Amino acid sequence: MIHESAPRTLPPILCVRGPSRSGKTSMAVRIVENLQTQGIRVGYIKRSHHTLDLPEKSSGRIWKAAPSAMLLRTPERTQLNVAAADEAIPSLAATLPGGLDLVLVETHSPEPYPTILSALLEPATDEMVVGRWSLDSLEADAETAAIYAAALAGEDRELQRTVRYAAEFHGGHACAGLVLGTRLALHGTALLGLAVPDRAKRLVVVLETDRCAADAVQAVTGCRPGRRTLRFLDYGKLAATFLDTTTGKAVRVAARTDLRDRATAGANDGEDRHDAQRRAYATWTPEDLFTATAVDADIDQFDRPGPPARRTSCGQCGEEVSDGREVLTDAGIRCRPCAGTHHLWNGRG
Ligand SMILES: [Zn+2]
Ligand SMILES: [Zn+2]
């Protein structure tokens, strides 16, 4: 099955709204320049009624043949052409590449996002006007707008990009557990001095939870059960051990026991407890969030990445058993279920 549009956790969206000849594009240009200079990655959206020009003799003919996607690469830029999406801003923003800090939208019509509004227009009902501009004070107004835009993009943008990436892996929502799992993975790998995601199968993670944080740890580290770089212990604890298979160093990182209570107690006036937790997990120091302990963690020969060290068959059901998971019983070699030592849901006895 092909997913045409994966759920996307979008970066903050800021609109620039004004009529024709109000200096709307000039405002957008200045805001983009200002933010990019600060290292803030801006995506830009504009809805146009014009037809896009493609050279009639070559790419235009290909486009008429209706490919599902068409990429044109020139020395200056790469242009992706896909069929027209619906014009709602979330759909359009989801079509942009990931890793952005802010999406700037040029628009004629009011949108439910913070908006820099031309002085030629009156705010619409419920429009979130966060700045104004007029042609005779465009430079100064653009500078003020850029300050707001930078604040909207946030301070710790690297972490926010990582959280959004993990949220997509998690199915599109950035819950408190996901933020905590992201920090847990970043802290554990930082303590080992390892870059993430790990593509070399150098890092092995042993997870002690199968809740939201588990998805974050997988997204951030790149470790997966199918690569044998992620192992799961059904302990129901928010903790994970990170092992550098090159140096043999390992560290177990665990959430502090009073964490949820402290985060909830720190809620601002009117702040929901989940928001308070999310904010705490995103901003507190690793030492405030976690304990970290160096541990001895050697990987058994049957648990290492690479081809199976042993394959055998169960004498009862006949199914193949790899990696030393068989059990030697009085009746002979058995898989674990046939030997009666494991159950499908092995969490409780
Ligand atoms: Zn979740
Ligand atoms: Zn069997």
Side-chain angles (χ1 to χ4, degrees), residues 76-311:
E76 184 218 353
R77 63 178 159 162
T78 301
Q79 185 186 63
L80 175 65
N81 293 274
V82 293
D86 81 67
E87 65 169 9
I89 288 172
S91 319
L92 296 171
T95 309
L96 288 167
L100 299 172
D101 299 316
L102 183 89
V103 173
L104 193 68
V105 180
E106 224 184 285
T107 179
H108 280 283
S109 51
E111 295 288 347
Y113 301 100
T115 299
I116 314 286
L117 183 67
S118 160
L120 300 175
L121 296 177
E122 286 303 314
T125 316
D126 294 336
E127 189 168 15
M128 286 180 265
V129 178
V130 295
R132 304 296 299 253
W133 89 87
S134 58
L135 270 177
D136 38 338
S137 57
L138 190 97
E139 297 300 332
D141 294 344
E143 215 154 289
T144 310
I147 292 169
Y148 178 85
L152 193 63
E155 266 172 32
D156 200 345
R157 294 186 296 275
E158 184 74 42
L159 174 67
Q160 292 185 42
R161 279 176 216 143
T162 310
V163 168
R164 280 196 288 272
Y165 179 77
E168 281 189 51
F169 187 85
H170 190 45
H173 83 125
C175 57
L178 189 90
V179 178
L180 191 60
T182 301
R183 295 292 307 279
L184 180 94
L186 291 173
H187 188 46
T189 49
L191 289 172
L192 294 176
L194 288 179
V196 284
D198 169 63
R199 304 195 195 284
K201 295 189 180 177
R202 174 173 173 174
L203 174 68
V204 170
V205 179
V206 183
L207 265 177
E208 299 178 28
T209 174
D210 60 356
R211 291 199 170 268
C212 302
D215 278 359
V217 172
Q218 290 190 64
V220 173
T221 60
C223 294
R224 303 282 187 270
R227 307 177 83 208
R228 310 203 95 204
T229 49
L230 187 114
R231 307 197 66 80
F232 170 59
L233 300 174
D234 200 8
Y235 291 173
K237 295 168 105 178
L238 214 156
T241 298
F242 299 83
L243 168 66
D244 181 346
T245 56
T246 302
T247 62
K249 271 200 210 159
V251 61
R252 181 178 181 270
V253 182
R256 287 194 178 274
T257 48
D258 56 349
L259 191 55
R260 195 181 301 110
D261 292 341
R262 277 192 295 132
T264 309
N268 296 326
D269 271 351
E271 191 180 32
D272 163 80
R273 70 188 168 91
H274 297 288
D275 288 337
Q277 285 166 17
R278 238 192 316 260
R279 183 172 51 77
Y281 300 162
T283 53
W284 288 5
T285 64
E287 291 70 28
D288 277 337
L289 298 171
F290 307 115
T291 58
T293 325
V295 290
D296 284 327
D298 199 20
I299 308 183
D300 184 271
Q301 59 155 327
F302 290 119
D303 291 338
R304 291 182 183 282
R310 188 159 79 215
R311 284 193 173 111

Side-chain angles (χ1 to χ4, degrees), residues 314-319 334-338:
C314 172
Q316 188 170 323
C317 68
E319 291 176 356
R334 293 290 181 270
C335 68
R336 287 173 172 179
C338 288

Side-chain angles (χ1 to χ4, degrees), residues 54-56 58-67 70:
L54 287 171
E56 268 315 307
S58 50
S59 23
R61 284 180 60 204
I62 302 284
W63 183 242
K64 280 194 180 123
M70 179 171 105

